[in-house]
Amino acid sequence: MPRLPAFCAALLIVCGSAEVLADAKSHAADAERFLLVAHADKLVVPVYAQVQQMFAQRFAESKAPQSETAVLETYQAQANTALEQAVGWDQLKPDMVKLYTSTFNEQEMQDLIRFYESPVGKKVLEKMPTLTAQSAQLTQSKLESAVPKVNQLLAEMTRTLTPEKP
């Protein structure tokens, strides 16, 4: 009979581990669902477009005849394949799921999903790229007025720290 407590303890550990594993799977599933709701799988689309534009620009700069467009398309396709292997959703998803599950608990993930599935959440997703770009422009334009003062302060600090040579 002395083995019964040890067996019960082992059984509790196994059952507890299974529950933790189930919770981790559920949490990961919620994170994956959130990432899809938030269109994280589309985050690198601009990268693809930018690379395609780089190839098209280089093609134009080479002054290659239009009959060579197939060469451009071949290289663009190869670039897409390289990008897909590096930053395609299948490559990013596991790390993104880990990132979000380590940042938000399961309840928070579910709250985020509910929010981003709501009308205002959908509007946030739709408008955020434009708002982010406009915010960056606004900040940049305001920052420009501080540049001369910052440069003056840097020069003064340099003079203060640099001993004058006799």
Side-chain angles (χ1 to χ4, degrees):
M1 279 296 167
R3 293 185 183 206
L4 186 60
F7 175 75
C8 289
L11 186 61
L12 283 172
I13 291 171
V14 168
C15 290
S17 300
E19 188 174 315
V20 167
L21 205 57
D23 286 347
K25 283 185 178 182
S26 174
H27 193 190
D30 284 341
E32 189 172 336
R33 181 168 171 224
F34 164 73
L35 289 166
L36 291 176
V37 167
H39 308 294
D41 57 324
K42 307 286 188 267
L43 285 174
V44 295
V45 168
V47 173
Y48 283 76
Q50 188 175 13
V51 169
Q52 295 303 301
Q53 183 59 38
M54 285 173 31
F55 276 88
Q57 184 176 350
R58 184 66 52 90
F59 181 79
E61 289 170 358
S62 73
K63 296 185 174 39
Q66 284 303 111
S67 61
E68 296 291 326
T69 302
V71 172
L72 167 65
E73 292 168 356
T74 297
Y75 280 98
Q76 285 176 320
Q78 290 175 9
N80 277 347
T81 299
L83 290 171
E84 188 64 29
Q85 290 172 350
V87 293
W89 182 239
D90 289 339
Q91 304 304 316
L92 290 176
K93 181 171 58 172
D95 292 331
M96 295 287 278
V97 167
K98 285 179 192 172
L99 178 65
Y100 277 80
T101 56
S102 68
T103 304
F104 301 103
N105 67 38
E106 194 164 4
Q107 182 60 54
E108 291 168 333
M109 291 304 315
Q110 291 168 3
D111 292 345
L112 284 168
I113 291 166
R114 268 192 298 285
F115 172 73
Y116 282 108
E117 286 181 334
S118 74
V120 72
K122 288 177 181 177
K123 185 173 182 176
V124 167
L125 287 172
E126 176 190 337
K127 302 294 183 181
M128 193 54 68
T130 302
L131 288 171
T132 301
Q134 290 173 342
S135 296
Q137 287 175 340
L138 180 75
T139 302
Q140 181 65 33
S141 68
K142 300 283 186 188
L143 184 61
E144 287 174 7
S145 66
V147 169
K149 180 65 177 174
V150 169
N151 285 337
Q152 176 190 353
L153 291 168
L154 280 170
E156 286 177 21
M157 183 183 80
T158 301
R159 282 192 298 274
T160 301
L161 295 173
T162 307
E164 291 186 28
K165 297 178 182 173

